[in-house]
Amino acid sequence: VAIYNGTLSELKDILPAYLFFQVSRDVILHRETIKSITSSTFGKIELTIKEGNQTFTTTVSRPKAALFRKWYNSMSA
């Protein structure tokens, strides 16, 4: 387990942008943790995330949905 003592915004700035996306003010996801993407109501996106043996869901807001789709569909390194 790694601990970063700076802000989430500072962490986002040092992570490789092609691998990480900030889906909300308190969540940054690695591309490989995303297991499924589903369109939700009002232009939102529902993500299913797998971390270890656990599965979680999170929502990408409508304002970030287009940026997320562009990021996710872009060529990875």
Side-chain angles (χ1 to χ4, degrees), residues 4-60:
Y4 180 75
N5 288 322
T7 66
L8 201 58
S9 179
E10 291 169 342
L11 177 60
K12 182 181 82 82
D13 290 342
I14 62 173
L15 293 171
Y18 69 94
L19 288 177
F20 294 89
F21 187 87
Q22 186 168 1
V23 296
S24 67
R25 67 181 139 149
D26 58 351
V27 175
I28 296 176
L29 290 180
H30 189 283
R31 177 184 298 276
E32 293 180 8
T33 64
I34 300 168
K35 296 305 167 195
S36 71
I37 300 170
T38 308
S39 293
S40 187
T41 58
F42 305 109
K44 298 176 187 175
I45 301 171
E46 196 75 25
L47 303 177
T48 302
I49 300 141
K50 179 125 172 121
E51 184 181 355
N53 294 330
Q54 295 183 318
T55 302
F56 304 93
T57 59
T58 191
T59 303
V60 180

